[in-house]
Structures are given as structure tokens and as C-alpha cells.
């Protein structure tokens, strides 16, 4: 999830653990603990594109990391703030660190919660930024911080924030299940043969869903809003994996294909090949669009394959938001 959401979650967890003993310090240090796992993004800047993708939400988002870091940071905090014990501070840090990847498990990218196992947990039920998840949570937290640390209202408000946010996550899973059923029925009605079906939420909401459908030669993409009245339509994107057969000798390309679990297509523009990760769909909801959220140019230079992520522009985001609101209202 986005940084603000992780800060809010970490602060709320910190308040739950130690708010009564140390007041707003619990929120502050909980917020700090809740942001630490995302330092892997900063570290990734020192590596090539593929390695940075592998690092992201890996070790720093694992149970192992939380267990190792909690007693160390807890000890440092106990030396600075003696109102609470080493054990108390370690509990706060552990829950701040651990709830971060736990929440990220609900996103499309997921996390390697059980690192070093090569297993990424991804429920794909909530977008990385969702105001309906974050804002009520944030309001409850701010309101709670205005009361004395011993206040019953403070604890109650913080608890309500956690209850509302957790309920929204459960609702996202219910909505995903409903949308998945709709996509399955649409594929059956249209006699489409497929090997895999994945669904994910569209940006900022859990009302509009996208589906990726893997067939032998193409990947289909379709959208469904709970307000739709017309049948779901699927668009086909040819895999064209044969275009990179001569490049699979390069280890970084093989690693990139492993990251996507086969959810990719190859496109070609101006004699340059592009590797498109379809797990996150298109930048636009326009059926004619062919610009994907994550697309990488493949350039062979001096017996080396250079993989570079294609940038996204502010105009892309503005156009998407406009299309999003129209599409949520139904087809």
C-alpha cells in the first residue's frame, strides 16, 4: 500500500500496544516501524531493473525481518524512552513491521511473507491506493491523538479505525469473489477456453474489477463493474513469446519472465521489443489502448541485454482517472 496508509496502520498499531503508557510516542514510533519495510525501494535504486523488482517486497517484508529487527529496535527505544520496557517496545516494533507486509498481501504485487521461500502472497483484492480504506482510518487516528493517553475515548476511536479498515479488507475479498464469479460465467457463456483466470481491483476502489485470462496464444483482458448491465467483453492481446526466443539466453530476461509467472506479452514498436507485464493491466481503460502499467524495453548491446522500464507520465494518470469514474458507473 502507499506510504500514508502504512504510516496510519503503523501508528494505530503502536497506539494499540503502548498508547496508554507513552501516549503519542506510541503512534510516532509505530508509524516509523510501519514505513521501514519499504526502504527496499530505496535500496533497489542501486541495482538493475530486474534485481530491483526481485528485492521489492522481499526480505524486508518477511516474518524473518520482523522477528530479527523487533528486539534490536525495541532495545534502542527502551534506552531512549524508559516509560516502557524492552519487551513492550519490541512488541510495538514487531507489530508495526509485520502489519505492513500483512496489508501488502492484499495488493496485486503481494509480498514474500515467508522469505526465503520463493512464495509471494497476493490476494489481489485492493489497489495500492484506496481512499475508502485510508481516510476513515486516518480520521479516527487523528481524533484519537487529541485525547489524553489514559482516555477511554482515545482507545475507542483507535479501535474503531482498526475495525473499519479491517472490515473494508474483508469487503474487498467479498467483492473480488463476486467479480470472479461474474468473469467465470462470462467466459463460459462465450465458450472461451482458458488455462488461468486472475482478477484485480481497478485503481482507488473495489467496485470495478479487471480480469486477465490466459489462453494458449493470447491473454484476454476484461472489466466488470458491480453497476454493469451489459455482458462482459474481453480483448485479446497475442502473447508473441516467440519474438524473444533468441533472447532467453540472457539470465536477466529469464528472471523477469519468472517474476511475471507467465503473465506477459511481447510487443514491437519501431524495431524494438517490449516486455509487457500484464499482471497490472493497462494505463488506460480505453479498449484501443496498448500502453501497459509495467512495460520494459529490451535492447541487446555488446552481448548484453539491457532491460529498462518505460516511464509513465502525469497525463496517463489524469486520463485514467477520468475514464475510471465513467467506467465505474457501469457499461
Amino acid at each position: 500500500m502507499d506510504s500514508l496508509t502504512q504510516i496510519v496502520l503503523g501508528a494505530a498499531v503502536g497506539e494499540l500496544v503502548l498508547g496508554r503508557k507513552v501516549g503519542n510516542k506510541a503512534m510516532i514510533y509505530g508509524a516509523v516501524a510501519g514505513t521501514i519495510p519499504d526502504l527496499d525501494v530505496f535500496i533497489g535504486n542501486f541495482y538493475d531493473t530486474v534485481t530491483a523488482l526481485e528485492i521489492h517486497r522481499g526480505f524486508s517484508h518477511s516474518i524473518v525481518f520482523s522477528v530479527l529487527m523487533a528486539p534490536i529496535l525495541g532495545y534502542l527505544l527502551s534506552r531512549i524512552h524508559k516509560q516502557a520496557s524492552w519487551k513492550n517496545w519490541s512488541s510495538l516494533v514487531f507489530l508495526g513491521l509485520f502489519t505492513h507486509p500483512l496489508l501488502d498481501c492484499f495488493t496485486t504485487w503481494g509480498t514474500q511473507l515467508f522469505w526465503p521461500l520463493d512464495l509471494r502472497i497476493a490476494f489481489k483484492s485492493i489497489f495500492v491506493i484506496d481512499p475508502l480504506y485510508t481516510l476513515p482510518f486516518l480520521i479516527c487516528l487523528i481524533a484519537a491523538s487529541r485525547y489524553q493517553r489514559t482516555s477511554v475515548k482515545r482507545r475507542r476511536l483507535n479501535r474503531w479505525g482498526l475495525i473499519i479498515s479491517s472490515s473494508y479488507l474483508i469487503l474487498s475479498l467479498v467483492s473480488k469473489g463476486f467479480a470472479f464469479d461474474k468473469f467465470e460465467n462470462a467466459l463460459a457463456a462465450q465458450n472461451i477456453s482458458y488455462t488461468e483466470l486472475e482478477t484485480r481491483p481497478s485503481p482507488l476502489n473495489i467496485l470495478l474489477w479487471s480480469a486477465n485470462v490466459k489462453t494458449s496464444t493470447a491473454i484476454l483482458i476484461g472489466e466488470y463493474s458491480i453497476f454493469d448491465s451489459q455482458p462482459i467483453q474481453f480483448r485479446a492481446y497475442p502473447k508473441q513469446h516467440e519474438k524473444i526466443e533468441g533472447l532467453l539466453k540472457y539470465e536477466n530476461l529469464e528472471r523477469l519472465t519468472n517474476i511475471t509467472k507467465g503473465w506477459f506479452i511481447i510487443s514491437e514498436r519501431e524495431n524494438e521489443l517490449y516486455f509487457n507485464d500484464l499482471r497490472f493491466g493497462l494505463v488506460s481503460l480505453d479498449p484501443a489502448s496498448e500502453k501497459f502499467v509495467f512495460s520494459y524495453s529490451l535492447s541487446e548491446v555488446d552481448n548484453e541485454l539491457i532491460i529498462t522500464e518505460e516511464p509513465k507520465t502525469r497525463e496517463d494518470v489524469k486520463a485514467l482517472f477520468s475514464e475510471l469514474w465513467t467506467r465505474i458507473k457501469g457499461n
Side-chain angles (χ1 to χ4, degrees):
M1 297 291 284
D2 64 284
S3 297
L4 175 61
T5 301
Q6 295 291 7
I7 286 171
V8 173
L9 177 60
V13 168
E15 169 63 25
L16 184 68
V17 176
L18 273 183
R20 197 168 185 178
K21 281 191 175 182
V22 302
N24 286 343
K25 292 188 187 73
M27 289 188 181
I28 293 170
Y29 287 114
V32 171
T35 59
I36 287 175
D38 276 343
L39 290 177
D40 62 357
V41 175
F42 172 75
I43 294 171
N45 290 327
F46 296 95
Y47 291 90
D48 62 273
T49 299
V50 177
T51 303
L53 289 172
E54 291 171 331
I55 289 173
H56 185 45
R57 295 194 185 174
F59 170 64
S60 68
H61 285 65
S62 67
I63 297 174
V64 172
F65 180 80
S66 299
V67 169
L68 291 176
M69 292 300 296
I72 298 171
L73 297 178
Y75 174 77
L76 293 175
L77 289 174
S78 69
R79 302 296 293 175
I80 298 170
H81 302 290
K82 300 184 185 298
Q83 304 102 311
S85 68
W86 165 72
K87 184 178 179 181
N88 291 150
W89 283 115
S90 296
S91 296
L92 181 149
V93 174
F94 174 79
L95 288 173
L97 293 171
F98 179 64
T99 53
H100 178 124
L102 204 58
L103 177 58
D104 279 345
C105 283
F106 288 83
T107 65
T108 300
W109 188 265
T111 66
Q112 277 187 272
L113 196 63
F114 300 108
W115 182 97
L117 296 180
D118 186 19
L119 173 65
R120 192 170 289 273
I121 309 298
F123 301 136
K124 304 181 182 181
S125 68
I126 192 169
F127 191 68
V128 290
I129 302 174
D130 193 324
L132 288 179
Y133 175 86
T134 307
L135 291 179
F137 204 178
L138 177 61
I139 291 168
C140 288
L141 184 69
I142 292 173
S145 69
R146 298 174 65 85
Y147 288 92
Q148 294 293 325
R149 61 185 175 84
T150 56
S151 171
V152 174
K153 286 186 177 180
R154 179 185 176 104
R155 294 197 301 277
R156 187 176 297 154
L157 282 165
N158 188 62
R159 195 177 299 120
W160 268 112
L162 289 164
I163 290 171
I164 291 169
S165 62
S166 299
S167 298
Y168 189 80
L169 288 179
I170 294 171
L171 182 61
S172 74
L173 292 171
V174 173
S175 182
K176 178 183 175 71
F178 182 77
F180 189 90
D181 187 60
K182 289 291 184 180
F183 284 118
E184 275 194 322
N185 291 339
L187 290 165
Q190 297 175 40
N191 294 315
I192 297 175
S193 177
Y194 63 96
T195 56
E196 288 184 63
L197 167 63
E198 286 194 346
T199 58
R200 63 182 181 278
S202 61
L204 312 178
N205 74 100
I206 57 172
L207 300 175
L208 176 63
W209 294 82
S210 296
N212 281 358
V213 184
K214 191 180 293 185
T215 69
S216 58
T217 59
I219 293 178
L220 314 182
I221 295 180
E223 287 84 31
Y224 168 74
S225 166
I226 64 168
F227 300 113
D228 278 357
S229 57
Q230 302 299 318
I232 297 171
Q233 299 296 319
F234 295 97
R235 306 180 299 282
Y237 296 85
K239 292 180 180 178
Q240 302 190 105
H241 291 181
E242 67 279 0
K243 288 182 177 289
I244 60 168
E245 285 179 355
L247 301 177
L248 288 175
K249 61 185 178 182
Y250 294 108
E251 181 252 357
N252 56 345
L253 180 57
E254 183 180 358
R255 285 158 52 208
L256 184 59
T257 61
N258 290 335
I259 288 172
T260 66
K261 306 296 184 184
W263 290 103
F264 72 93
I265 66 167
I266 303 299
S267 58
E268 188 172 2
R269 298 194 306 272
E270 299 177 356
N271 295 319
E272 187 166 8
L273 293 176
Y274 290 85
F275 184 105
N276 305 293
D277 186 342
L278 264 67
R279 293 174 301 160
F280 307 93
L282 295 132
V283 173
S284 172
L285 292 174
D286 183 350
S289 174
E290 293 186 356
K291 187 172 184 179
F292 295 90
V293 174
F294 288 102
S295 184
Y296 306 90
S297 63
L298 306 177
S299 302
E300 199 173 10
V301 180
D302 298 328
N303 293 318
E304 183 180 359
L305 184 67
I306 308 299
I307 300 177
T308 308
E309 183 179 345
E310 290 293 286
K312 292 168 281 294
T313 66
R314 186 171 297 179
E315 287 68 29
D316 291 330
V317 177
K318 287 181 179 178
L320 176 60
F321 284 168
S322 176
E323 296 164 357
L324 190 65
W325 175 243
T326 302
R327 185 62 187 86
I328 286 175
K329 292 186 290 185
N331 56 17

